[in-house]
Amino acid sequence: MTRKLLAEFDNRFNSVMIAWPHEHTDWAYMLDEARKCYTEIARAIISAGCNLVVVTPDAKETRDELKALESEKIVFLEIPTNDTWIRDYGPLTLEDSGILSIANFQFNGWGLKFAANLDNRVTDHILRRLPDIDCKDCLGTVLEGGSIESDGKGTILTTSDCLLSVNRNNFHSKKEAEDILRASLGATRILWLDHGGLEGDDTDSHVDTLARLASEDTIVYVKCYREGDSHYNELQQMETQLKNLSTPSGSPYNLVGLPLPEPCYDPEDGHRLPATYANFLITPHAVIMPVYGQERNDTLARRMLETVFSPEREVITVDCRALIRQHGSLHCATMQIPSDFVPMIIE
């Protein structure tokens, strides 16, 4: 049996990693606001019954910042970072016949857009603390965790804009990219989205901003209900593609269209920010979703997710208006790992 990328909705993911904002990240100009948001994310993760692993260049300072939280649920790893988007440079978990391992890919700052020399080594640092865990070395390939969704059975959902980006791997065809996904993640089916993308997104259309596998047969995606919105046509075309996708058994996916938030703009230069409700985190007992201070849309999106995930998981919300100032949201800021890894990390 070939090892496959574990699905995020797998209940073994009972721990979540975050990377703490510091003065040498792009958060420097709004550090207090960013840390307050990350504190609320940490609080939500612990409230969901998960262990929290905090990657930080200064464990003592960060421990002081989070002293109000349930300390026995938090592990601090002192590791230098460029930035906080650990979804894209953190460890990806694979499984083969119940045996877990880690895939370690190259991270180059979303196609050479930003410095990534420290972030690219974070998974290496973590692997040194997990000597008994097998590693699938994929350092010849650039791949970000936010660019792929898995059902845990060999299906990978991704976007062509990101995976075929010239400044990542310069794949010349989808087949070339598919061959890599098969070899590195055990993919047996690759589902491509060729439309979508949000204004202000630096990732070249990461799938975790657009469409998410909520189960083996359900996809939650971003739908634009406003015909005058600049995203309307692209998201309509993405929806058409989703309707034409099928599960491994040949059935159409159950599709749930979350509303695209009303436009959010940067208060400094006025550019549109990539707000999306699809950037939620699934844990064994809860779904943690971003909200943006929009009562109607926030409530509607929450109710939709409650319909998808209840009664097994409650829906917890975190105000992520600070996060989107740096063009990411809640899922981008987190990386789930199996709880079995945590005791080994701290030994």
Side-chain angles (χ1 to χ4, degrees):
M1 180 177 178
T2 304
R3 49 186 165 185
K4 292 178 170 55
L5 181 64
L6 214 59
E8 186 171 324
F9 48 81
D10 191 293
N11 284 340
R12 283 169 288 186
F13 280 136
N14 203 29
S15 297
V16 180
M17 305 184 81
I18 63 173
W20 194 249
H22 55 84
E23 61 270 20
H24 301 298
T25 64
D26 287 341
W27 295 110
Y29 74 105
M30 53 175 292
L31 192 56
D32 287 346
E33 190 177 352
R35 285 179 170 174
K36 287 177 183 176
C37 184
Y38 270 82
T39 298
E40 291 310 307
I41 293 172
R43 192 187 310 279
I45 290 167
I46 292 171
S47 174
C50 293
N51 297 307
L52 175 67
V53 179
V54 182
V55 172
T56 174
D58 189 331
K60 182 182 183 304
E61 180 187 46
T62 307
R63 187 177 286 108
D64 290 342
E65 291 272 350
L66 295 174
K67 63 185 178 183
L69 301 186
E70 200 176 332
S71 60
E72 64 271 17
K73 302 282 285 186
I74 307 177
V75 172
F76 296 90
L77 299 184
E78 196 159 274
I79 300 173
T81 58
N82 299 104
D83 217 327
T84 56
W85 306 112
I86 199 166
R87 172 63 49 181
D88 293 335
Y89 57 77
L92 292 170
T93 304
L94 307 174
E95 179 196 29
D96 186 350
S97 302
I99 305 299
L100 300 178
S101 59
I102 285 175
N104 187 14
F105 288 90
Q106 187 83 3
F107 176 66
N108 74 346
W110 306 283
L112 305 175
K113 296 183 182 73
F114 302 97
N117 59 308
L118 298 177
D119 292 344
N120 186 45
R121 297 179 61 195
V122 167
T123 296
D124 289 332
H125 284 286
I126 293 168
L127 283 167
R128 289 192 198 108
R129 299 167 183 256
L130 296 169
D132 296 328
I133 299 298
D134 185 33
C135 172
K136 174 72 172 174
D137 187 346
C138 306
L139 292 175
T141 301
V142 174
L143 187 77
E144 298 112 34
S147 70
I148 49 175
E149 282 281 301
S150 171
D151 68 354
K153 306 289 187 181
T155 299
I156 297 291
L157 176 66
T158 190
T159 66
S160 55
D161 280 352
C162 182
L163 256 64
L164 303 184
S165 165
V166 172
N167 286 338
R168 286 177 171 86
N169 299 291
N170 196 24
F171 293 136
H172 294 96
S173 67
K174 286 182 178 177
K175 182 184 183 304
E176 192 174 349
E178 288 177 354
D179 288 343
I180 293 292
L181 294 177
R182 288 190 173 94
S184 59
L185 301 178
T188 54
R189 301 191 324 136
I190 295 92
L191 307 179
W192 292 90
L193 296 179
D194 303 307
H195 301 280
L198 304 177
E199 290 183 35
D201 173 30
D202 293 324
T203 70
D204 303 304
S205 301
H206 269 189
V207 74
D208 73 345
T209 68
L210 298 169
R212 306 289 308 285
L213 282 162
S215 68
E216 294 177 22
D217 61 1
T218 300
I219 296 176
V220 178
Y221 68 102
V222 177
K223 180 178 177 65
C224 185
Y225 293 89
R226 302 181 299 274
E227 291 189 23
D229 194 290
S230 59
H231 295 92
Y232 182 78
N233 289 334
E234 274 291 304
L235 291 177
Q236 286 289 106
Q237 292 178 78
M238 183 184 78
E239 183 181 55
T240 298
Q241 279 195 295
L242 288 168
K243 289 178 178 178
N244 289 323
L245 298 180
S246 58
T247 67
S249 67
S251 302
Y253 279 95
N254 301 316
L255 298 178
V256 179
L258 299 176
L260 179 71
E262 294 286 338
C264 300
Y265 299 98
D266 189 274
E268 294 195 349
D269 64 13
H271 73 273
R272 188 165 177 175
L273 300 170
T276 168
Y277 296 112
N279 209 242
F280 54 82
L281 174 72
I282 306 172
T283 73
H285 303 294
V287 172
I288 307 173
M289 66 166 279
V291 292
Y292 305 102
Q294 301 179 12
E295 184 177 355
R296 180 177 177 276
N297 284 321
D298 291 351
T299 301
L300 178 59
R302 177 176 183 161
R303 287 175 178 169
M304 286 182 168
L305 288 184
E306 286 172 339
T307 299
V308 172
F309 289 103
S310 65
E312 292 82 6
R313 296 174 172 94
E314 66 171 322
V315 177
I316 301 171
T317 63
V318 176
D319 190 327
C320 289
R321 282 176 285 184
L323 281 192
I324 59 171
R325 295 276 298 278
Q326 280 296 314
H327 310 137
S329 198
L330 196 146
H331 190 255
C332 305
T334 57
M335 173 58 83
Q336 73 281 358
I337 61 172
S339 54
D340 289 352
F341 288 178
V342 176
M344 291 182 274
I345 288 175
I346 61 178
E347 284 178 353

